[in-house]
């Protein structure tokens, strides 16, 4: 399947490096970054050069190798785990590497490679399970980027689209542009267009009319953290999209691997929501978009309540909210 390889480890634990696509440069330039130090990985995660919950989990796992070979120990790993707060995959991956490898960088690399391989396999399984929801002629709606660029495999929300396309199903994707950083317009549209999938970008504020006019009949998004009751944190705007989907009778699915489910979060109120800097809303390429006197509120995520979600497309099949706790164990 034709999708971008977002990150890969090259070399061994002693002198290898993490190579990532710099997502801040897309769609204009396809540029790769070599990350050879812990601080570079933290910086890449914080400025969204690598982003998307599973991708930052895998990047975090490889970041542990760099931290340990620098002799940074558990404190270095904690810094890494805190780089972004909402996507639970990051802390999950860092804690798993520490549990499996302690301060041994070679064993950390083995653990990171296992996490990477599991992510690739989970994406493929999500793609297979979710593809059955996509019927010929359908319009499929998505928000932000939960594609290959957001994982180390073929994505979560976009994986069913890659599989359906590979099966010869003809459908159309509507991608919300996703203010303020435009992950939908820049990243989702880029990777789907590269794969030859019919994609149309709309402003976030156009989602309701697109659903009302039945241009889209199915919504699939990714997730950054899913609580035990099914409440789901994802890119800000997902909640509004779920409300519009409910109002217009379109099923709304979340696609995510087990590593995005937080066994410790009882509901959405337990999920920390990252607030990002004002300049992301205030400026565009150096030009002011808002007057100095106006305040800016910039939460990066919101929580969609479980009652608006039709199901969760996971590597083990499509679950209802009621099935989550039993499945997580
Ligand atoms: O701030 P971002 O770009 O990291 O936000 C990404 C999202 O909200 C994705 O939808 C989510 O991480 C799922 S990625 C498979």
């Amino acid at each position: 399947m034709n999708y971008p390889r977002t990150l890969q480890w090259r070399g061994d634990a002693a002198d290898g490096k993490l190579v990532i696509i710099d997502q801040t440069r897309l769609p204009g330039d396809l540029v790769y970054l070599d990350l050879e130090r812990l601080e570079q990985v933290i910086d890449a995660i914080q400025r969204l050069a690598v982003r998307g919950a599973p991708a930052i989990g895998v990047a975090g796992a490889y970041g542990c190798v760099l931290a340990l070979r620098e002799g940074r120990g558990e404190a270095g790993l904690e810094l890494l785990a805190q780089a972004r707060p909402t996507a639970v995959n990051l802390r999950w991956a860092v804690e798993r590497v520490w549990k499996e490898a302690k301060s041994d960088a070679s064993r950390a690399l083995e653990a990171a490679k296992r996490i990477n391989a599991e992510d690739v396999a989970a994406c493929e399984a999500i793609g297979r399970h979710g593809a059955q929801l996509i019927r010929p002629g359908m319009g499929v709606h998505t928000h932000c980027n939960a594609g290959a660029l957001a994982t180390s495999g073929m994505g979560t929300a976009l994986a069913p689209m890659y599989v359906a396309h590979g099966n010869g199903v003809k459908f159309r994707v509507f991608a919300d542009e996703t203010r303020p950083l435009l992950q939908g317009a820049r990243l989702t549209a880029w990777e789907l267009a590269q794969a030859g999938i019919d994609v149309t970008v709309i402003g976030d504020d156009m989602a309701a009319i697109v659903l009302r006019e039945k241009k889209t009949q199915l919504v699939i998004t990714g997730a950054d953290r899913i609580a035990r009751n099914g409440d789901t944190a994802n890119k800000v705007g997902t909640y509004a999209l779920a409300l519009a989907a409910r109002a217009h009778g379109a099923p709304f699915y979340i696609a995510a691997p087990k590593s995005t489910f937080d066994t410790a979060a009882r509901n959405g109120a337990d999920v920390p929501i990252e607030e990002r800097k004002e300049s992301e809303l205030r400026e565009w390429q150096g030009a002011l978009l808002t007057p100095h006197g106006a305040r800016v509120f910039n939460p990066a995520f919101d929580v969609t309540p479980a009652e608006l979600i039709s199901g969760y497309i996971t590597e083990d099949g499509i679950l209802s909210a009621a099935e989550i706790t039993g499945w997580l164990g």
Side-chain angles (χ1 to χ4, degrees), residues 191-242:
E191 64 168 274
L192 292 181
Q194 295 260 323
I197 297 176
D198 182 340
V199 58
T200 302
V201 176
I202 57 168
D204 300 339
D205 43 5
M206 300 164 198
I209 190 171
V210 164
L211 283 154
R212 191 180 63 192
E213 290 183 356
K214 306 291 178 213
K215 288 186 167 58
T216 52
Q217 303 88 26
L218 167 70
V219 184
I220 311 179
T221 77
D224 284 81
R225 192 184 296 234
I226 303 172
R228 291 189 85 93
N229 75 338
D231 289 354
T232 297
N234 190 48
K235 178 54 57 192
V236 68
T238 303
Y239 176 35
L241 180 60

Side-chain angles (χ1 to χ4, degrees), residues 147-165:
L149 288 167
T151 67
S152 58
M154 67 162 86
T156 58
L158 302 194
M161 304 177 202
Y162 282 115
V163 172
H165 179 70

Side-chain angles (χ1 to χ4, degrees), residues 116-136:
N116 191 158
E118 287 170 22
D119 182 48
V120 171
C123 290
E124 280 172 14
I126 287 169
R128 278 196 310 278
H129 295 303
Q132 55 188 279
L133 300 169
I134 300 177
R135 307 253 173 267

